[in-house]
Amino acid sequence: MEDANNFKPYIPASKSMPELTPVSIILGIILAVVFGGANAYLGLRVGMTVSASIPAAVISMGVIRMVLRRDSILENNIVQTIGSAGESLAAGAIFTLPALFMWAEEEGSSAPSLVEIALIAAVGGVIGILFMIPLRTALIVQEHGTLPYPEGKACAEVLIAGEEGGTSATTVFAGLGVAAVYKFIADGLCIFPSEVDFEIKSYKGSGIGMDVLPALLGVGYICGARVSSYLLAGGTLGWFVLMPLIALFGGDSVIFPCTDPISSLSPMLLWKSYIRYIGAGAVAAGGIMSLIKSLPLIIRTFRQAVKGFGVKANSSARTAQDLPMSVVLIGVAVTAVFMWLCPVIPVNLLGAVIIIVFGFFFATVSSRMVGLVGSSNNPVSGMAIATLLIATIILKATGMTGMQGMVAAISIGSVICIIAAIAGDTSQDLKTGYLVGSTPKNQQIGELIGTIASAVTIGGVLYLLNAAWKYGSDQLPAPQATLMKMVVEGVMNGNLPWALVFSGVFIAVVVEILGIPVLPFAIGLYLPIHLSTPMIVGGLVRLYFEKKKEASEGIRKQKVEKGILYSSGMIAGEGLIGIMLAVFAIIKVGKDTTLADVINLSEILNIGNWGGLLVFAGLTATLCYSVISTKKKK
């Protein structure tokens, strides 16, 4: 195990290089906005987001080294630091804020303003970064060798292998271009349906389908076969066990919460009416169980963090310079008072206190947990659910009930969710900086810049997507936000179908007893099976190349990693075209016609479900080709 006292970064502390430059700031902001918007679309569509650190790093190297002919690994690191902040802020925001849009739709009231969304996002992001600053020495430096921070280490390896930056960036852009064209043909020109669906007549209540989209294939490849199989297992339980049983025993009965006879419901309506609530119970239970299992780690982390809070590194070297403690304390205090007094943010004094207390706690927990298990396994949604349950109970007990109380609870949960997401991302970025030899102070300033830039734009993305398709629709289910909305409503109004929710809770308990990771299984149960099926395709492609015999382990690893870069490009490409199509869906070119209607060619040419599956097979072939075409290192 590597000793922190003897560690030497790639760029020594005695050497100064361009770092926080106008080029790195501008390019970082562009990537923060791009990846933030793409991840917002992806998360609202499938309930998952992906790390933007490595794609941002390779694009940065492609632009800075190959186009601008500049040569500074520290400048590249600042770009990925700023760029990845957009992805993590988007992840925190989309888990909660769409609930406010859904309530506005139901109540006939106005949706949250752009200013309100920007301020909530900025407050959460700034607090998350400020809380992480005094923890850097304790978690990143003193526990180097103990906490691996896998994404941070991987990103450092990519940066250090900078001579490969051009090839890597080309792979990302290739995936982006292929996915962009594919998405435009599928959901813009509508030549084939992006959701292929088949109802199994002989097995009433069941069905199978696939969203034949690049992002899902890419997410499945990045997650791997194991996680994808857990998702598919959850979907299989819902669509091939529970739904046929409901159809069999329900008959012509009308059972709450649905108002139609069960015999008249299609598989998708069965899922919406019943399975979604069972899945919500399973996801909530999975998130809470993950926190309970982590309690020893949480307690130990919190104790160590309090002891090490503000501990200064035993050096005045460039690589040990953080933003001053006075900036942290004043910044947190000012932000808390601003939350309380700002009329745009629906948080009172009690809410601001809850945010600061829970925010520091979860920022600390998040920072250590991503160090051990990586950002992908950070139970941010579980932390948000726990916060929402406690915040809603407290607000209800103090007399803040009804819509006012629910909006306040979601606002508190939003800030906490963003704090946890940003703290985890900041930890990974600071670990990357520690390995390559960046100046921590410059990275922390970069995180703040990326957070503010993303906060300003995320509201526009949320408004745009809601205006085009509406949250909670088939095109934009917003699964986490819908779950958070259900949790708050259930506590405040007691109007949830609790029998369904608790059946999901105990399904999660059984899954936990069997030793299967609960959260991916529960998410697969909560989401339509149409999302799990393309992901397992991507997971199986990666499994094939991981198991395939190669000349050396290094070549196998190189091929798998190239597939990850291509998949990251596909996710970004679909997200960007998804946002562009949302713009088309609200641009009027006639009284009742939009630009999206004009480019829709489905009535002229449509190759149908089987054609969609065939085109998806071709897309999968491009992923395989991107891996196979990897050149062997000399």
Side-chain angles (χ1 to χ4, degrees):
M1 189 173 289
E2 203 170 7
D3 185 0
N5 295 322
N6 298 323
F7 171 76
K8 301 295 182 186
Y10 183 73
I11 301 297
S14 58
K15 184 176 180 180
S16 294
M17 298 178 70
E19 199 165 348
L20 192 66
T21 63
V23 169
S24 64
I25 292 172
I26 293 170
L27 184 55
I29 288 174
I30 292 171
L31 292 179
V33 172
V34 168
F35 281 108
N39 257 306
Y41 174 79
L42 177 67
L44 291 166
R45 182 74 187 254
V46 305
M48 299 179 71
T49 58
V50 294
S51 174
S53 294
I54 292 176
V58 297
I59 290 174
S60 164
M61 287 188 290
V63 174
I64 289 180
R65 288 177 178 272
M66 308 303 292
V67 178
L68 301 179
R69 302 294 180 184
R70 298 164 70 91
D71 186 18
S72 171
I73 187 173
L74 303 188
E75 195 173 31
N76 286 322
N77 185 49
I78 289 294
V79 173
Q80 76 82 18
T81 297
I82 298 173
S84 64
E87 165 264 320
S88 55
L89 184 135
I94 62 170
F95 282 2
T96 47
L97 289 176
L100 300 179
F101 287 87
M102 287 186 269
W103 277 327
E105 183 77 15
E106 294 169 1
E107 299 291 321
S109 56
S110 58
S113 67
L114 290 172
V115 174
E116 180 180 341
I117 295 171
L119 290 177
I120 289 175
V123 162
V126 169
I127 292 176
I129 295 166
L130 292 177
F131 278 156
M132 185 54 215
I133 291 171
L135 298 175
R136 186 192 70 85
T137 301
L139 295 179
I140 306 297
V141 178
Q142 295 178 354
E143 297 209 41
H144 178 65
T146 304
L147 296 177
Y149 287 97
E151 285 95 344
K153 185 177 180 181
C155 191
E157 289 175 353
V158 169
L159 287 168
I160 290 171
E163 66 273 10
E164 300 173 38
T167 304
S168 300
T170 301
T171 304
V172 175
F173 282 119
L176 190 152
V178 168
V181 173
Y182 183 103
K183 175 72 172 177
F184 186 75
I185 293 172
D187 286 343
L189 303 180
C190 300
I191 291 175
F192 61 89
S194 58
E195 182 175 282
V196 172
D197 186 69
F198 300 95
E199 186 174 341
I200 305 172
K201 301 286 187 183
S202 58
Y203 190 30
K204 188 167 177 58
S206 67
I208 188 67
M210 176 184 286
D211 280 11
V212 288
L213 291 170
L216 295 171
L217 180 66
V219 169
Y221 185 93
I222 292 171
C223 291
R226 185 178 295 273
V227 173
S228 299
S229 66
Y230 295 145
L231 286 155
L232 183 61
T236 302
L237 175 65
W239 286 70
F240 288 97
V241 180
L242 299 179
M243 283 163 49
L245 286 175
I246 292 171
L248 176 64
F249 293 117
D252 294 326
S253 303
V254 178
I255 301 175
F256 179 79
C258 190
T259 56
D260 296 319
I262 288 177
S263 59
S264 67
L265 301 181
S266 66
M268 185 58 76
L269 286 175
L270 276 172
W271 170 80
K272 284 184 177 179
S273 302
Y274 302 105
I275 302 303
R276 189 170 60 165
Y277 292 98
I278 297 173
V283 173
I288 292 171
M289 279 192 286
S290 68
L291 286 180
I292 292 172
K293 287 193 296 183
S294 302
L295 273 178
L297 171 64
I298 289 170
I299 294 169
R300 184 169 66 252
T301 299
F302 198 71
R303 188 186 300 124
Q304 291 174 350
V306 170
K307 287 181 181 178
F309 191 84
V311 173
K312 294 183 179 180
N314 298 320
S315 171
S316 58
R318 176 185 61 79
T319 53
Q321 296 172 1
D322 291 296
L323 286 174
M325 196 61 192
S326 57
V327 171
V328 174
L329 295 175
I330 293 171
V332 170
V334 169
T335 307
V337 172
F338 177 76
M339 272 192 296
W340 168 34
L341 297 179
C342 180
V344 177
I345 303 176
V347 174
N348 59 14
L349 177 60
L350 176 62
V353 172
I354 292 173
I355 286 170
I356 296 302
V357 173
F358 278 82
F360 178 66
F361 182 72
F362 284 138
T364 305
V365 172
S366 179
S367 299
R368 188 176 185 94
M369 290 194 76
V370 299
L372 286 171
V373 299
S375 298
S376 302
N377 299 307
N378 189 16
V380 171
S381 58
M383 298 179 196
I385 290 169
T387 302
L388 284 174
L389 286 170
I390 295 170
T392 308
I393 291 169
I394 292 173
L395 292 171
K396 187 176 180 180
T398 55
M400 186 176 283
T401 58
M403 187 54 62
Q404 182 188 11
M406 292 194 295
V407 169
I410 283 289
S411 300
I412 292 169
S414 297
V415 178
I416 295 291
C417 208
I418 293 168
I419 288 173
I422 282 284
D425 172 75
T426 302
S427 302
Q428 297 286 8
D429 289 339
L430 289 174
K431 184 66 171 185
T432 301
Y434 180 67
L435 293 171
V436 302
S438 285
T439 307
K441 178 172 65 176
N442 289 336
Q443 278 194 281
Q444 290 152 8
I445 294 171
E447 290 279 0
L448 290 168
I449 292 170
T451 294
I452 298 300
S454 301
V456 170
T457 57
I458 193 66
V461 173
L462 291 177
Y463 255 92
L464 175 64
L465 294 173
N466 184 62
W469 295 303
K470 302 293 181 187
Y471 296 125
S473 65
D474 292 341
Q475 295 92 340
L476 217 62
Q480 275 91 352
T482 304
L483 173 60
M484 304 300 173
K485 174 176 174 284
M486 289 163 54
V487 167
V488 173
E489 288 175 345
V491 174
M492 193 68 77
N493 301 328
N495 62 351
L496 278 182
W498 288 106
L500 295 174
V501 173
F502 278 112
S503 66
V505 169
F506 288 106
I507 286 173
V509 171
V510 171
V511 170
E512 176 66 28
I513 291 171
L514 292 174
I516 298 171
V518 177
L519 273 177
F521 180 93
I523 290 171
L525 177 59
Y526 179 68
L527 295 172
I529 198 170
H530 303 65
L531 303 178
S532 304
T533 44
M535 287 178 63
I536 194 65
V537 174
L540 290 174
V541 169
R542 177 168 177 172
L543 181 65
Y544 171 77
F545 287 108
E546 285 177 335
K547 299 296 183 183
K548 186 181 178 184
K549 289 184 179 180
E550 294 288 355
S552 69
E553 180 65 29
I555 292 174
R556 182 188 292 111
K557 182 180 177 183
Q558 183 187 1
K559 287 189 172 185
V560 171
E561 287 177 350
K562 190 173 181 185
I564 292 174
L565 292 174
Y566 187 83
S567 297
S568 299
M570 286 201 297
I571 292 166
E574 180 179 333
L576 294 176
I577 296 299
I579 293 172
M580 185 187 79
L581 293 177
V583 175
F584 288 0
I586 61 174
I587 294 177
K588 297 286 186 181
V589 293
K591 186 177 181 181
D592 298 312
T593 307
T594 66
L595 185 55
D597 298 323
V598 172
I599 65 172
N600 189 327
L601 303 179
S602 59
E603 293 184 5
I604 303 172
L605 175 64
N606 193 317
I607 59 178
N609 284 348
W610 292 106
L613 288 175
L614 186 63
V615 177
F616 185 75
L619 178 70
T620 306
T622 69
L623 172 59
C624 295
Y625 178 76
S626 75
V627 179
I628 294 170
S629 63
T630 302
K631 295 180 181 179
K632 296 180 181 179
K633 293 181 180 178
K634 294 182 180 180

